[in-house]
Amino acid sequence: MADPSSPTTYNPSTPSSSTAPTSLGSLSRSRAQRQGSSTESSQSNVDTSSPFRQGFPNPLRPLPQAHFVVTARDTEGIGWWKTTREAVIGYLEVRKIDWDSISVIYRCDPRDEPSPDDLTIFISAPYDAGSNSWYLMLQDLQGYLQDRGLAHLRVEIMDGRFARIPDHFIVESTHPLVPAWPGIRDSIIKALGRTPWITLTAIRRGIDSIAENNPVTILITTPNPPTIRPLIKPIESICENAGFALNAEVLEGSSLFAMDDPGEVVLDISSFADPIPMGSSASPRSRSDSSGTLGGAILLTKGKLRALAGVTNFHVMRTKDLPQVYIDDGLQPGQSTRVGIRAVVPSNQDYNHNLDISQDYLETTIKPALVMAEQKWEMSGDEQDRKRMQSLTRQKQDHCQHNDTLQMFSRDAGFLWAASGLRIHQQNKFMLDWALVKLPKYRPTPNLLPTRGELVALGAERLTRQVLLSGTKLEEWSTEMVKGGEVVFKRGRTTGLTIGAFSGINPAIQLNGKTFSAWQVAGQRGKEFCRKGDSGSFIVDSRGRWCALLFASPYNNTGDAYVIPVDILIEDIQSMTGGTVSLP
């Protein structure tokens, strides 16, 4: 181990303390004193959003991250590493941090090629929950690197036991926390005060395959984790005073809604047909950077009017120039012509991506292969070469026809007819986020349920065994069976058909200064329930009844869903439109 007081190996000092042989310890203590008792500063460039993985620059890149070795030819550019490694060891010892390994690697997204920007000092160490030593060590090391012109380097320290992203499991309805949660939740919200936060819930969170072996954890998302970390102990005290020894965690989040840039998906050819299946990709015609889900359809009757309407979220159909009054108060049918928002299915983003893929495959794969086959047959006259040439010619013709079908397909799906805006239900404080798209007559939505074979193919055996569909079509809605542990499924634009279960805990949501409530659905271990772009999906219970509408996927990587109960949804639709809702 390096001697942290040795000026011959490194000297992590400020310009005014270069002669002090014990400058490392002195500098570390003085920095800690200047920071006060708080472990983080809102201006810190150290990412502490996860207690088991910290580093800089802030924010750290999202997991998963792959490791690539620094090869021999790269070593000329990192002549600083030997000295820097000794410095890292010294800072770890000063902060009394046990460590397993220290290395310099290229660390980046597994889908990318490593580049010099990915060079990372990676430290593996066991996490000490009772200490802020990781944060203080990273602050010290950041100053050292800046002083030596190495500020471009990335640094991460991680506990290998928690390198895998923790899974989320529901809190069962029989858990004693469930009846106590409303009071605990309100006390935590009061303790948070004016500190910005987005979501607050309690969920079983961990890496054990048996749900009950993972601890129930208070989970808070916020755009600025350092502002909430000082409140962790008071929040845990609130739980302890109520009789529950729970840990609290803070995750970084920028938005409740996950619609913008939800990633690209490859659509089935059935997506380019007039009938609109449940869970189809959708967006406003005027937006090319977003995608959501058209969950299914309802029939709205008002006097002699009978209109088929697709159901999704308001935030899915909202355009950037929509007046604030419709966001605050909602949109009634008579106001739809004022906003003039047209819908397309599939979304612009998905349509353009799939057309690009199809055209690229034709130009870069089929056509070059056909040219080579033609040349080979002309030279050899071999019967096998002739058959291959004919096969590729048919593929070219089929693919050209396919491209023509995509380009000529009319994606028009009607217009935004009515919407909730982003409101709060006055009686029970649930989030209201729905939109009705009046569909053209030639684009029906049949509301077909998945087949038994589709459900079995999900591989979620324990949950799938509890699904007992009574028919092939969605024919009723109900929240009668909804309780903690009730099995549900959904079909969405991004993740398709997935299965999960309701939690017994209702999360709290903060949006535009107001606090809302919702229901929460989680998948099972290794089976996420939803991702960005699934907003608007119908949630269907194990008997095939519509029970909720998905409107948010607030956590990266775990795939939980926040949903609106269907009875509250239908009540608000009927109140806003003056009509009666039924299923077509």
Side-chain angles (χ1 to χ4, degrees):
M1 296 292 182
D3 178 2
S5 65
S6 170
T8 60
T9 53
Y10 57 90
N11 185 10
S13 60
T14 60
S16 61
S17 59
S18 59
T19 59
T22 57
S23 59
L24 174 60
S26 302
L27 178 60
S28 301
R29 284 191 294 272
S30 65
R31 281 181 180 164
Q33 291 164 356
R34 287 199 302 272
Q35 290 160 356
S37 60
S38 172
T39 61
E40 289 99 4
S41 163
S42 60
Q43 284 75 41
S44 171
N45 194 33
V46 176
D47 186 341
T48 58
S49 56
S50 168
F52 310 111
R53 177 189 178 226
Q54 299 179 23
F56 55 82
N58 184 9
L60 292 176
R61 293 168 171 174
L63 296 175
Q65 293 286 300
H67 289 188
F68 297 88
V69 297
V70 177
T71 62
R73 67 179 181 179
D74 297 324
T75 54
E76 293 182 2
I78 58 168
W80 44 265
W81 172 233
K82 183 177 180 180
T83 302
T84 302
R85 185 178 185 277
E86 295 297 319
V88 172
I89 292 172
Y91 285 122
L92 289 167
E93 290 183 343
V94 165
R95 293 299 178 186
K96 296 181 171 59
I97 298 172
D98 293 328
W99 54 275
D100 300 320
S101 65
I102 304 168
S103 57
V104 59
I105 55 174
Y106 293 111
R107 184 163 158 83
C108 62
D109 189 298
R111 297 166 294 184
D112 297 337
E113 291 293 324
S115 73
D117 292 338
D118 302 321
L119 205 58
T120 303
I121 297 174
F122 189 80
I123 306 164
S124 176
Y127 176 68
D128 181 0
S131 169
N132 64 352
S133 56
W134 278 19
Y135 173 79
L136 296 175
M137 181 277 296
L138 288 166
Q139 287 270 286
D140 295 339
L141 182 55
Q142 192 172 51
Y144 171 88
L145 296 175
Q146 288 172 348
D147 291 344
R148 283 151 182 79
L150 299 172
H152 62 284
L153 290 175
R154 298 177 177 275
V155 176
E156 284 190 44
I157 181 169
M158 179 185 289
D159 189 327
R161 296 172 299 171
F162 299 91
R164 204 187 84 198
I165 299 168
D167 291 313
H168 285 186
F169 302 84
I170 64 167
V171 177
E172 57 278 12
S173 59
T174 56
H175 195 288
L177 177 64
V178 172
W181 172 246
I184 293 173
R185 177 191 61 203
D186 292 346
S187 296
I188 293 174
I189 292 173
K190 185 176 180 181
L192 290 171
R194 298 194 176 190
T195 306
W197 59 277
I198 302 171
T199 65
L200 164 65
T201 193
I203 196 79
R204 288 193 180 276
R205 180 170 161 86
I207 58 176
D208 198 297
S209 59
I210 300 174
E212 292 74 16
N213 291 347
N214 296 289
V216 177
T217 302
I218 303 297
L219 194 61
I220 304 168
T221 63
T222 172
N224 193 357
T227 63
I228 288 187
R229 289 202 175 279
L231 301 175
I232 290 296
K233 288 187 177 179
I235 289 171
E236 292 175 344
S237 295
I238 289 171
C239 299
E240 189 173 351
N241 292 337
F244 300 94
L246 305 178
N247 292 329
E249 288 188 33
V250 179
L251 298 180
E252 186 169 7
S254 58
S255 173
L256 173 65
F257 304 121
M259 180 193 173
D260 289 346
D261 194 20
E264 298 166 336
V265 296
V266 177
L267 301 176
D268 186 83
I269 189 62
S270 63
S271 300
F272 298 90
D274 287 339
I276 301 175
M278 293 180 70
S280 291
S281 161
S283 75
R285 180 176 289 279
S286 62
R287 295 195 64 175
S288 60
D289 60 345
S290 63
S291 296
T293 295
L294 194 74
I298 61 171
L299 192 64
L300 190 70
T301 304
K302 184 177 181 181
K304 295 182 179 180
L305 172 68
R306 285 170 60 85
L308 184 70
V311 182
T312 184
N313 296 132
F314 170 74
H315 81 263
V316 169
M317 292 306 300
R318 174 183 172 182
T319 55
K320 295 179 180 179
D321 58 351
L322 188 68
Q324 187 66 37
V325 63
Y326 300 119
I327 300 170
D328 295 336
D329 302 333
L331 178 75
Q332 297 180 354
Q335 299 170 315
S336 59
T337 56
R338 300 179 190 175
V339 299
I341 298 176
R342 304 292 303 187
V344 288
V345 173
S347 71
N348 290 320
Q349 181 185 37
D350 292 337
Y351 171 74
N352 292 333
H353 176 60
N354 281 262
L355 186 59
D356 288 345
I357 289 176
S358 183
Q359 291 176 332
D360 184 66
Y361 182 72
L362 177 64
E363 297 296 330
T364 63
T365 303
I366 296 179
K367 286 185 177 181
L370 178 57
V371 170
M372 291 180 64
E374 289 172 340
Q375 292 173 347
K376 190 173 181 182
W377 179 71
E378 288 174 0
M379 294 175 62
S380 68
D382 186 81
E383 180 64 15
Q384 291 297 323
D385 291 335
R386 185 183 68 83
K387 289 181 178 180
R388 174 166 172 73
M389 181 185 68
Q390 291 176 335
S391 174
L392 287 168
T393 299
R394 287 192 296 270
Q395 288 184 45
K396 177 184 174 183
Q397 292 170 345
D398 292 343
H399 214 79
C400 286
Q401 185 177 1
H402 173 74
N403 287 350
D404 289 342
T405 299
L406 297 189
Q407 291 175 328
M408 295 174 63
F409 177 65
S410 174
R411 295 179 297 122
D412 182 66
F415 60 91
L416 179 62
W417 189 36
S420 62
L422 298 176
R423 295 185 293 114
I424 184 171
H425 192 280
Q426 292 303 313
Q427 281 71 46
N428 50 41
K429 307 304 180 185
F430 271 86
M431 181 84 180
L432 294 171
D433 178 14
W434 57 264
L436 301 184
V437 176
K438 192 170 183 181
L439 300 169
K441 291 182 179 180
Y442 62 87
R443 299 208 71 182
T445 301
N447 286 351
L448 297 180
L449 296 173
T451 65
R452 184 70 187 173
E454 285 182 297
L455 290 170
V456 171
L458 294 176
E461 293 84 1
R462 181 182 63 82
L463 298 182
T464 303
R465 283 197 298 269
Q466 300 177 52
V467 178
L468 303 171
L469 300 182
S470 57
T472 60
K473 182 180 178 182
L474 191 67
E475 295 181 341
E476 58 181 320
W477 69 77
S478 173
T479 57
E480 178 185 345
M481 295 181 65
V482 175
K483 60 182 184 298
E486 166 62 18
V487 173
V488 294
F489 59 86
K490 73 101 186 69
R491 196 188 296 274
R493 169 261 184 196
T494 306
T495 55
L497 181 64
T498 59
I499 196 164
F502 272 111
S503 176
I505 296 294
N506 290 351
I509 302 159
Q510 189 178 73
L511 182 67
N512 299 331
K514 298 178 181 179
T515 301
F516 302 80
S517 186
W519 284 346
Q520 184 168 355
V521 178
Q524 67 169 11
R525 183 175 182 266
K527 305 286 184 182
E528 61 187 356
F529 188 72
C530 66
R531 281 206 308 260
K532 288 183 177 184
D534 285 329
S535 291
S537 301
F538 279 20
I539 308 298
V540 181
D541 70 19
S542 59
R543 299 286 176 175
R545 297 183 293 190
W546 181 23
C547 61
L549 181 72
L550 193 158
F551 73 92
S553 177
Y555 312 115
N556 292 329
N557 304 310
T558 59
D560 299 31
Y562 283 5
V563 305
I564 307 165
V566 71
D567 51 356
I568 291 173
L569 176 74
I570 298 297
E571 173 198 323
D572 197 60
I573 289 174
Q574 294 184 153
S575 174
M576 180 70 74
T577 62
T580 302
V581 173
S582 60
L583 291 172

